[in-house]
Amino acid sequence: MRLQNYIMKKKDLVSGTVENKTFIIDLKKKNVVYELNRAGSFIWGLINDKKSIPDLVDGVKKEFGIGEKKAEADVKQFISTLKKSKLVISK
Amino acid sequence: MNYTLKIKIADYVFQCIIEDFNLYKILRNKYRAFSDKRRADVVMHFSLKHDNRRYYKLKDDFKKHKIDFNVNSKDMCRIIHNNFYGFENFLSSVIYYWLLHKKVIVLHASGVIRNRKAYVFCGKPGAGKTTIAKLLGSQIMNDNEILIKKRNSKFVAYSSPFKRRGIKPKNINAPLAGIFFLKRRNFKKITKLGKDQAFKHIIINHYIPKFSYQYKNDVENLFKMCIGITGSAPCYELSFKLDKKIWRDINALTKLHNEKEGFSFRNS
């Protein structure tokens, strides 16, 4: 995964946040609801605009007060999970 | 010749114009409890395609009501050997789709009214929705599908005329007292769900008509409604053993919860 790549949400998704958890429905996949925990919801909220991985890492560092390496590893892992589920695309 | 039938569902009147007298007769008898004479909110025209098989197709009248509804060959309904259920599935899908547009959601649930409050029991097939509705013995709304709509800033449960399984539904509604997600177990336990868990359960148990996936706004409406319900009605996970003491258990268990959490959940 290139760090400079922009991460964007896929179209045709509907998401809602309830008590720090985000639920996502992909309109093209019926009967599937994705659930994100607090950290995932925070990152998902950041991806609302076009964001690169370093932008997301900065945001996570500030929000959760963790080190650069840990934040980067977590963000990369999370983004790759989102990509596998086809919820985001990178350009 | 066309035959007209008006049915009222969740305060909206649907007018069905049907060319086939046999179909009209079946619908009239089946939805007698839901018939209404008010001015229709939606007019649906079902035409019969004449060939060896019987196909029903929804005509474009639906579009006049400002819903971009695409009718293609897949949306036609075929009735084989007078099997009415194919047509009912089609009709309910169209109506539920329109209702979702009007912010009315459909839960795969049974519902009963007690003390002018609606208790809704959701669950997977076989979880005990029909059984619990029969055991509770109060006014049964429907044992398979319940509609929820916001009326005067309160969520109200309405009965649906469709997909009943042995219990004749009544055209009744009442403010929502609580939603119970059923789990059949050998013990009795009630757990109050947090808003996030309740939201997840409602989404899972919601019936989304296939047409809705074409339109993002409708699914956004669904999310907003679900968030609203979780904020205003208490949701519980109910593990239960089937016996006739079920009302007593529900009352005792919810009361215990309310005392603990200071939540007002009125029932007797």
Side-chain angles (χ1 to χ4, degrees), chain A residues 11-19 21 23-33 35, chain B residues 194-197 199-200 203-204 208 210-216 219-220 222-223 227 230:
Chain A
K11 286 178 184 174
D12 300 329
L13 296 178
V14 177
S15 62
T17 304
V18 188
E19 292 202 333
K21 280 189 182 173
F23 296 88
I24 307 164
I25 284 185
D26 185 345
L27 299 179
K28 288 187 178 164
K29 288 183 200 167
K30 291 177 186 177
N31 304 327
V32 183
V33 181
E35 181 183 348
Chain B
K195 280 184 187 174
D196 52 336
Q197 287 301 311
F199 179 85
K200 196 165 85 177
I203 284 283
I204 289 169
I208 304 178
K210 59 176 179 176
F211 317 116
S212 307
Y213 282 100
Q214 298 169 19
Y215 305 106
K216 206 172 175 178
V219 184
E220 281 170 354
L222 168 70
F223 264 60
I227 291 171
T230 53

Side-chain angles (χ1 to χ4, degrees), chain B residues 4-266:
Chain B
T4 303
L5 181 82
K6 285 181 182 176
I7 47 175
K8 186 181 159 190
I9 304 168
D11 293 338
Y12 293 105
V13 178
F14 296 84
Q15 184 178 356
C16 304
I17 301 170
I18 305 147
E19 290 176 4
D20 182 21
F21 179 70
N22 288 332
L23 179 66
Y24 165 74
K25 215 165 70 177
I26 296 172
L27 290 175
R28 192 189 58 189
N29 290 337
K30 198 157 187 187
Y31 307 132
R32 197 179 287 277
F34 290 80
S35 66
D36 199 279
K37 287 180 180 174
R38 277 195 306 148
R39 192 166 167 263
D41 296 298
V42 181
V43 180
M44 295 180 289
H45 192 133
F46 294 98
S47 69
L48 184 66
K49 192 179 167 187
H50 293 283
D51 60 4
N52 292 336
R53 293 165 182 167
R54 300 167 74 199
Y55 286 96
Y56 290 96
K57 189 181 175 185
L58 190 68
K59 275 191 180 171
D60 289 352
D61 300 33
F62 214 69
K63 285 180 182 171
K64 287 178 190 168
H65 299 272
K66 292 177 185 174
I67 295 181
D68 183 17
F69 184 83
N70 297 320
V71 178
N72 55 37
S73 58
K74 282 180 188 170
D75 295 327
M76 286 206 300
C77 162
R78 200 174 101 189
I79 297 186
I80 310 164
H81 300 304
N82 291 324
N83 180 356
F84 177 73
Y85 296 102
F87 185 80
E88 188 173 57
N89 280 340
F90 176 56
L91 181 66
S92 65
S93 287
V94 171
I95 288 179
Y96 289 162
Y97 166 71
W98 194 87
L99 287 172
L100 183 59
H101 212 73
K102 292 281 174 191
K103 296 180 185 172
V104 179
I105 67 165
V106 187
L107 290 182
H108 185 210
S110 66
V112 297
I113 294 182
R114 189 178 158 95
N115 297 337
R116 293 178 188 172
K117 294 262 180 185
Y119 295 78
V120 173
F121 300 90
C122 293
K124 291 176 186 171
K129 295 183 294 294
T130 307
T131 317
I132 206 165
K134 282 180 183 171
L135 272 174
L136 292 171
S138 308
Q139 280 186 298
I140 299 171
M141 301 167 80
N142 186 308
D143 60 349
N144 208 41
E145 283 172 3
I146 296 291
L147 308 160
I148 297 177
K149 179 186 163 187
K150 202 171 185 181
R151 191 176 71 190
N152 300 336
S153 73
K154 275 183 183 177
F155 286 95
V156 180
Y158 290 80
S159 57
S160 155
F162 303 117
K163 291 173 190 162
R164 63 220 191 189
R165 303 174 73 188
I167 292 173
K168 207 174 178 183
K170 291 172 185 165
N171 189 5
I172 44 179
N173 61 73
L176 190 63
I179 303 179
F180 297 81
F181 299 96
L182 300 179
K183 274 192 176 178
R184 201 179 270 199
R185 293 278 189 274
N186 287 328
F187 53 89
K188 292 162 190 170
K189 194 186 168 193
I190 197 160
T191 318
K192 188 158 187 239
L193 298 172
K195 280 184 187 174
D196 52 336
Q197 287 301 311
F199 179 85
K200 196 165 85 177
H201 278 74
I202 293 174
I203 284 283
I204 289 169
N205 285 289
H206 176 260
Y207 172 77
I208 304 178
K210 59 176 179 176
F211 317 116
S212 307
Y213 282 100
Q214 298 169 19
Y215 305 106
K216 206 172 175 178
N217 285 350
D218 293 332
V219 184
E220 281 170 354
N221 280 347
L222 168 70
F223 264 60
K224 282 177 195 164
M225 278 290 290
C226 292
I227 291 171
I229 292 170
T230 53
S232 66
C235 298
Y236 301 92
E237 189 177 88
L238 175 67
S239 305
F240 73 107
K241 203 166 96 177
L242 288 177
D243 58 31
K244 288 184 178 174
K245 293 170 187 166
I246 189 75
W247 256 134
R248 198 191 65 185
D249 296 334
I250 288 174
N251 286 338
L253 293 166
T254 47
K255 202 175 166 188
L256 191 73
H257 257 280
N258 300 338
E259 280 169 4
K260 274 185 188 171
E261 300 178 18
F263 189 86
S264 72
F265 185 87
R266 275 196 290 159

